[in-house]
Amino acid sequence: MPIYSFAFVLALACAGFFYRAGDEEGSSGLLWGGVSLVVSLFVMLRLDGGMLGVGLAQLGVLASIVAFRLWRDPH
């Protein structure tokens, strides 16, 4: 998958979004952005997924973060 594809641009945009969201939440923005980027690269390079695959993977990252935050702070 070339770096000038829409899937790569989406992966970078999502990593930036998760970095900023983690920073705003008081958590490690670098950790959230890094997880997002690793998941996107795995989907693009190993699973040969395109833009739809990256988008669905990012929804999975978001759901995982939300589930973890709800489990850790259940109020």
Side-chain angles (χ1 to χ4, degrees):
M1 175 105 13
I3 63 170
Y4 51 84
S5 68
F6 288 118
F8 188 73
V9 172
L10 178 64
L12 290 179
C14 289
F17 168 77
F18 280 115
Y19 176 81
R20 183 74 175 147
D23 196 36
E24 288 291 321
E25 281 285 320
S27 298
S28 174
L30 188 60
L31 177 64
W32 287 17
V35 167
S36 171
L37 195 58
V38 166
V39 167
S40 294
L41 289 176
F42 179 78
V43 167
M44 286 189 306
L45 299 176
R46 298 296 280 169
L47 300 179
D48 200 28
M51 194 166 154
L52 180 62
V54 171
L56 291 174
Q58 293 305 313
L59 286 175
V61 169
L62 180 62
S64 299
I65 290 172
V66 168
F68 177 75
R69 302 275 299 177
L70 287 173
W71 174 72
R72 195 179 74 175
D73 297 328
H75 56 316

